[in-house]
Amino acid sequence: MLLLVLSAPSGCGKTTILTRVMRDLPGLVFSVSHTTRQPRPGEIDGVHYHFVEANVFAAIRNRQPTGFLEWAEVHGNMYGTSVDEVDRHRHAGQDVILDIDVQGAAQVRQRTRPVTIFIAPPSLAELERRLRGRGTESEATIALRLNNARKELACSGAYDYLVVNDQLGQAVESLRSIIIAERCRQRRMPDGWPAHWSG
C-alpha cells in the first residue's frame, strides 16, 4: 500500500485539493496525528487529532522504532505521526496520506520510502495575495508565512512530484493522476484494488 507525503506552504490550497481527491478516489485515508495541544472548538479527538498529554506523547516517541514515524515541536506543542496508525490503515489495504511539513517529510524519508508530493503556489506574489484575501492574517503573520514559504519552496526539489496550484481543478487532477500512476506502478487498479491476475 502507498504511503503518500504531502507538503505545502500555508495558503497553497493543499487541504482543498486533498479533500476533493479523497472524495473522488476510493481507498485513501488521512493519517490522524498525535498532539499535546488542547483541542480547539469543534475539534474531535480521533478525528482531527489524537489529543494526548505530554507524558503519553513522550512515551510513544521513546518507543522507537515503533513510536512515531516523524515528530516535531511547533510553538511549544508536540505533533507526531504514529507508526501504529499508519500500519493499521496499510494492513487494511488502504493508501495512507500524511499532511506534514518539509522537516517531517525528511524524517519519513529516513525511515521508509514514501511517495512525496509538494504543492506550490504559482508565485510568491500570488501566495501573498491569497493570504491577504483571507482577511484573517496580521501583517506579521503574513510576513512569517511568506518567509517560511521561501524556505519550504527551496526544499521542493527533494520531492518526487511537484503540483502547482494555479488552477484548482488542474491541481486536483494532477494529484489524482499521481496517485493512480503510483497504484498502477504497484500493479494495482486505479481504484486501489490489486489487479485480478496479480499474485
Side-chain angles (χ1 to χ4, degrees):
M1 297 295 108
L2 294 174
L3 178 61
L4 301 150
V5 168
L6 248 64
S7 301
S10 177
C12 283
K14 174 180 58 179
T15 302
T16 301
I17 294 169
L18 184 54
T19 299
R20 293 198 185 186
V21 169
M22 292 184 73
R23 181 187 64 200
D24 298 335
L25 201 57
L28 295 173
V29 65
F30 181 76
S31 177
V32 179
S33 298
H34 286 64
T35 184
T36 59
R37 77 161 171 79
Q38 292 298 307
R40 294 174 183 148
E43 287 185 329
I44 301 169
D45 184 42
V47 175
H48 299 96
Y49 285 96
H50 296 293
F51 296 99
V52 297
E53 297 295 328
N55 63 325
V56 174
F57 190 99
I60 298 171
R61 183 187 61 204
N62 295 336
R63 200 178 66 223
Q64 295 304 338
T66 60
F68 287 122
L69 193 57
E70 59 84 29
W71 64 273
E73 181 177 351
V74 181
H75 305 307
N77 295 304
M78 308 301 292
Y79 294 83
T81 301
S82 162
V83 171
D84 289 344
E85 172 94 3
V86 171
D87 286 349
R88 178 170 59 85
H89 290 305
R90 295 179 82 186
H91 292 156
Q94 296 171 307
D95 293 324
V96 182
I97 297 178
L98 307 183
D99 177 356
I100 54 179
D101 64 14
V102 294
Q103 290 86 0
Q107 290 183 51
V108 174
R109 281 193 210 96
Q110 291 174 357
R111 300 274 306 272
T112 185
R113 296 185 63 184
V115 176
T116 55
I117 306 154
F118 192 92
I119 298 177
S123 67
L124 281 172
E126 174 60 17
L127 179 60
E128 181 176 359
R129 188 192 69 77
R130 292 177 186 179
L131 289 171
R132 292 187 183 283
R134 289 175 171 179
T136 58
E137 314 281 356
S138 68
E139 284 298 318
T141 300
I142 289 172
L144 177 62
R145 293 193 188 284
L146 289 173
N147 188 50
N148 287 341
R150 288 186 184 92
K151 294 175 183 176
E152 290 165 334
L153 286 162
C155 300
S156 64
Y159 286 70
D160 299 316
Y161 297 95
L162 176 70
V163 173
V164 177
N165 185 14
D166 189 6
Q167 299 294 324
L168 179 60
Q170 291 177 0
V172 170
E173 187 55 32
S174 293
L175 179 56
R176 182 176 176 275
S177 298
I178 289 166
I179 295 170
I180 289 173
E182 288 293 331
R183 285 175 168 178
C184 291
R185 198 158 66 93
Q186 290 188 348
R187 305 303 185 261
R188 293 160 62 200
M189 304 293 282
D191 61 7
W193 289 100
H196 298 298
W197 48 263
S198 64

